[in-house]
Amino acid sequence: MAVANAYDNLCHPNIVSEQKIPYIALSHLYKNCKELYDNDTLNLLVKFMGVYPPGTVVQLSNQMVGLVISVNAKAILYPNVLIYDPSVPRTQAPIIDLADKELKIVNAILPHKLPDKVKEYLNPRSRISYFFDSDS
């Protein structure tokens, strides 16, 4: 619980200017807090959250931009991503499983650095709720 709480506090601090995107928060815990938390617990958090947790805006190897919407527990580097495609309404935006494609994530993007039209389309949330399936 402590490591999950620490992750949530990094993503949703009391001081909004200190807020970290999910990818940065997870990376910070893994790189800087190993002395505070059991390594197995940190690894378990990464397994469930993925390297790119849901809510992370990413750039793909084909230059497309998308929003990670779910984790692939069998291939944590290849989540499911909702793709920004201005030619279709957001409600019909393509969702791709990176494990089935020859694409990879090359960068996590800070939402405030997105053009307004992309941010509006992808609609990255400041708060995200997570559900974990115990069968994963």
Side-chain angles (χ1 to χ4, degrees), residues 74-102:
K74 293 180 175 75
I76 61 175
L77 288 173
Y78 301 97
N80 295 309
V81 179
L82 181 129
I83 300 296
Y84 169 68
D85 185 348
S87 68
V88 298
R90 184 191 192 287
T91 57
Q92 299 171 11
I95 297 173
I96 60 172
D97 179 351
L98 292 183
D100 294 339
K101 304 289 182 191
E102 291 187 11

Side-chain angles (χ1 to χ4, degrees), residues 104-122:
K104 64 180 181 176
I105 294 172
V106 295
N107 195 20
I109 303 171
L110 297 171
H112 72 272
K113 294 198 174 193
L114 292 171
D116 287 341
K117 64 182 181 176
V118 177
K119 187 189 303 186
E120 184 177 311
Y121 188 97
L122 294 176

Side-chain angles (χ1 to χ4, degrees), residues 3-4 10 15 29 33 38 41 51 53 58 65 73 80-82 120 135:
V3 74
L10 288 169
I15 302 169
L29 284 173
C33 299
D38 176 67
T41 304
V51 173
V58 295
V65 174
N80 295 309
V81 179
L82 181 129
E120 184 177 311
D135 293 337

